[in-house]
Amino acid sequence: MKNLKAVLISSLFTITTSVYAQNCDCTKNYEWVKKTFEQNDAGFEYALKQKSTQAYEAHNTTISEKVKSAKTFSECAPILNEWLTFFRSGHVAIRPLKQESPKQNTPEKTNNQFANWETLSVETQDFRKYLDKKKTADYEGIWYTEPYTVGIKKKGDQYVGFIIESGAETWTKGQVKLKINSSDGKMSSVYYMRDHSGVESKEIALIGKNHLQIGDFTLSRVYPKVEDDPKYSQYFKSINATEPYLEKINETTLYLRIPSFQAGQKTKIDSVIAANKDKILSTENLIIDIRNGTGGSDSSYSNILPLIYTNPIRTVGVEYLSTKLNNQRMLDFINKPEYKFSEEDKKWVQTAFNTLDKQQGKFVNLNENVFSVTKFDTIHPYPKNVGIIINQRNGSTDEQFLLAAKQSRKVKLFGTTTFGVLDVSNMYYVPSPCKEFELGYSLSRSMRIPDFTIDGKGLQPDFYLDRSIPLYEWTDYVNSVLNGK
């Protein structure tokens, strides 16, 4: 959540390997993370009240034992992350600062590691000729899933997926990437990850003719390309989109896809809205799809709200935990060029710093009131109906957008319950003493606590789309509801 001038960043980070210096063992890193978090995180005391001091002490005992056996940062980082998850599922992070040494992960060494991996020898040209003769579209074919091109060929009761081209140094041509078993009419699969660990699943399905779902993995058919129902193409275009776009579904409905509210996407979102504003304001229905969002900055959705507005939007504010370390972020806003704060913004930040600095150890509301009210001059007759599509991967800024948007009488939410990570927010990253990693924690807590909490609960849709409605039919379902069918 971003309260006027504050910055929100919500991210997931991968952990890389680094070799410890003698004074940077996992125990010392854990002790620093624990102390820093306890003294500065805005959600620490709230989590203790929710889960009890006794549960926290038991958690600490478990983690203390685990850190003793961690010899490298790659072993330590997951343990530190495990400690953080006691408090909440998001807005905490361990982010590595050191990168892997190239000598530790050369292609030659990695390939040798899996040199004896199972292979299937199939000449690509021969396989293409074989596929050309097929009259049905099934699992057999040439598929793509970033960063692999995979051939799938039936061998007895199995479909075997083998590497044709690989963008990962851990996989080479001919190695078996996946298997689908169809014996006794029961389907099961195993998909091998980048590190060759296997992920098993019983959920295997062709979505249309050109997309194969194996558990959580989606492969798109490269060859032979088969003509498919447009609804499948629309779904995969939207779900794989990395930038916002708007398209016309029919004469009465427009579809606006927003994959991310990250600050870097604001200009692109605003550009799409500006280019299509007349269409939006002259079309009866608008579908906004924010599934699988990333969080980001409240400013990214600021130009959407006036289009769907019907009545004043009430937003409950946040309190900042004032500590010497936390207040440093305000000085960062002033002194670090990467934040790109205007001189006017810097004046506001300096005032905020002065207010916080006088009240160290306390939670401080930087605004005059607990809540703010946003009003716009115009209630547009169109769009009449707005359906926002959501799922369990929408959190943080996504949820702040939904809290504002659903106050409009035009808006209904469709999908599943959101992730639930908003009450404690405004992340700040501080480097560890040995500069191996950064600890990400939160500076503020919502004044909705305890009466209207989101964390661990999420926001529920007005129309729950259960599993009987396939994911690729969600947009059609929302369209039918908005059009009264």
Side-chain angles (χ1 to χ4, degrees):
M1 173 181 167
K2 178 180 172 186
N3 187 21
L4 191 60
K5 311 260 182 175
V7 173
L8 169 72
I9 305 174
S10 180
S11 308
L12 297 174
F13 301 98
T14 55
I15 303 303
T16 58
T17 303
S18 62
V19 179
Y20 274 2
Q22 290 182 353
N23 60 342
C24 293
D25 62 32
C26 195
T27 297
K28 287 184 173 62
N29 280 335
Y30 167 60
E31 290 171 351
W32 175 80
V33 167
K34 183 174 181 293
K35 181 179 180 181
T36 304
F37 194 88
E38 289 177 342
Q39 293 179 351
N40 297 282
D41 183 72
F44 173 72
E45 293 293 341
Y46 175 62
L48 288 192
K49 290 180 182 178
Q50 296 295 109
K51 300 186 178 184
S52 83
T53 301
Q54 183 178 2
Y56 178 52
E57 291 174 350
H59 181 63
N60 290 340
T61 300
T62 300
I63 297 299
S64 295
E65 288 301 312
K66 289 186 176 183
V67 299
K68 292 177 183 178
S69 61
K71 304 302 181 185
T72 64
F73 180 64
S74 62
E75 294 174 354
C76 183
I79 302 173
L80 299 180
N81 269 316
E82 182 183 349
W83 183 80
L84 289 172
T85 57
F86 174 86
F87 304 98
R88 53 188 177 270
S89 57
H91 289 164
V92 290
I94 298 295
R95 183 165 70 179
L97 290 173
K98 293 184 178 180
Q99 299 297 317
E100 286 183 307
S101 168
K103 293 182 181 180
Q104 292 178 309
N105 191 26
T106 61
E108 181 180 358
K109 180 177 179 180
T110 304
N111 290 341
N112 288 341
Q113 181 182 357
F114 302 109
N116 296 322
W117 191 260
E118 181 182 359
T119 61
L120 182 64
S121 180
V122 178
E123 287 295 330
T124 303
Q125 291 303 319
D126 292 341
F127 189 46
R128 282 175 171 263
K129 292 177 182 178
Y130 165 77
L131 294 172
D132 287 338
K133 296 177 182 178
K134 288 180 65 72
K135 296 181 179 180
T136 58
D138 56 13
Y139 301 144
E140 286 194 311
I142 298 175
W143 305 82
Y144 183 77
T145 179
E146 179 73 26
Y148 312 102
T149 300
V150 179
I152 299 181
K153 183 172 178 60
K154 189 172 185 181
K155 303 288 288 186
D157 290 332
Q158 280 190 332
Y159 289 88
V160 181
F162 55 95
I163 295 292
I164 294 177
E165 293 181 5
S166 172
E169 68 281 353
T170 48
W171 287 92
T172 58
K173 186 175 181 179
Q175 289 184 323
V176 172
K177 181 68 174 171
L178 63 91
K179 291 181 180 179
I180 301 172
N181 297 304
S182 58
S183 59
D184 302 325
K186 296 180 180 179
M187 301 296 294
S188 64
S189 69
V190 58
Y191 182 97
Y192 297 104
M193 303 289 285
R194 184 178 287 251
D195 62 359
H196 288 239
S197 60
V199 179
E200 297 182 355
S201 177
K202 293 184 179 179
E203 297 182 4
I204 303 102
L206 272 175
I207 302 176
K209 297 177 181 179
N210 292 319
H211 301 279
L212 175 59
Q213 193 79 35
I214 302 177
D216 292 331
F217 307 99
T218 302
L219 295 85
S220 299
R221 193 189 299 272
V222 175
Y223 191 87
K225 204 73 172 180
V226 182
E227 187 175 350
D228 212 346
D229 190 312
K231 68 181 178 182
Y232 301 116
S233 300
Q234 192 278 339
Y235 169 70
F236 283 100
K237 174 185 175 182
S238 65
I239 219 66
N240 294 324
T242 58
E243 296 185 356
Y245 67 88
L246 183 138
E247 64 183 18
K248 180 179 179 180
I249 292 180
N250 52 45
E251 292 301 319
T252 59
T253 308
L254 297 176
Y255 173 88
L256 173 61
R257 172 65 172 141
I258 301 178
S260 171
F261 284 125
Q262 288 290 346
Q265 292 289 313
K266 175 177 170 53
T267 301
K268 297 174 183 178
I269 294 170
D270 290 350
S271 178
V272 170
I273 291 172
N276 295 280
K277 186 174 181 179
D278 289 344
K279 286 183 183 178
I280 294 171
L281 297 181
S282 60
T283 304
E284 186 173 350
N285 303 313
L286 175 64
I287 297 173
I288 304 174
D289 188 348
I290 66 168
R291 280 178 285 183
N292 304 335
T294 64
S297 168
D298 292 8
S299 64
S300 294
Y301 63 74
S302 60
N303 285 345
I304 299 174
L305 296 180
L307 304 179
I308 62 178
Y309 172 83
T310 61
N311 45 278
I313 301 169
R314 198 170 188 269
T315 303
V316 179
V318 300
E319 297 175 302
Y320 289 85
L321 176 58
S322 175
T323 69
K324 184 177 180 180
L325 180 62
N326 291 356
N327 298 344
Q328 178 62 39
R329 190 186 70 152
M330 292 296 180
L331 298 181
D332 291 346
F333 288 158
I334 296 173
N335 299 321
K336 293 187 176 182
E338 59 261 34
Y339 288 108
K340 299 179 181 179
F341 272 42
S342 66
E343 291 305 314
E344 182 182 352
D345 288 339
K346 289 180 180 180
K347 289 179 183 178
W348 180 91
V349 172
Q350 184 64 59
T351 301
F353 173 81
N354 295 340
T355 301
L356 289 165
D357 196 45
K358 293 175 183 177
Q359 302 183 68
Q360 288 194 25
K362 298 179 180 180
F363 279 92
V364 180
N365 178 10
L366 294 176
N367 294 320
E368 295 180 0
N369 302 307
V370 171
F371 65 91
S372 62
V373 177
T374 301
K375 297 180 180 180
F376 298 108
D377 295 334
T378 305
I379 300 175
H380 298 286
Y382 280 2
K384 284 186 177 181
N385 308 300
V386 180
I388 303 178
I389 307 179
I390 58 176
N391 65 10
Q392 69 278 4
R393 292 179 63 182
N394 291 118
S396 190
T397 294
D398 299 0
E399 291 170 316
Q400 190 61 37
F401 166 65
L402 297 174
L403 284 177
K406 72 194 204 78
Q407 293 183 51
S408 169
R409 294 189 299 272
K410 297 181 176 184
V411 172
K412 295 294 182 183
L413 308 185
F414 294 77
T416 59
T417 303
T418 60
F419 187 53
V421 54
L422 182 63
D423 301 335
V424 181
S425 61
N426 280 297
M427 285 188 75
Y428 188 44
Y429 291 89
V430 293
S432 64
C434 293
K435 310 300 181 187
E436 285 186 299
F437 66 93
E438 291 178 317
L439 166 65
Y441 65 95
S442 294
L443 303 179
S444 66
R445 69 182 184 190
S446 173
M447 287 184 280
R448 287 181 283 97
I449 298 173
D451 299 321
F452 182 27
T453 55
I454 306 299
D455 286 11
K457 300 176 183 177
L459 292 168
Q460 294 193 354
D462 299 294
F463 292 80
Y464 170 57
L465 303 187
D466 59 75
R467 291 192 177 187
S468 68
I469 305 173
L471 294 174
Y472 56 82
E473 291 184 359
W474 280 22
T475 300
D476 287 343
Y477 182 90
V478 177
N479 179 48
S480 67
V481 171
L482 297 187
N483 282 284
K485 297 181 180 178

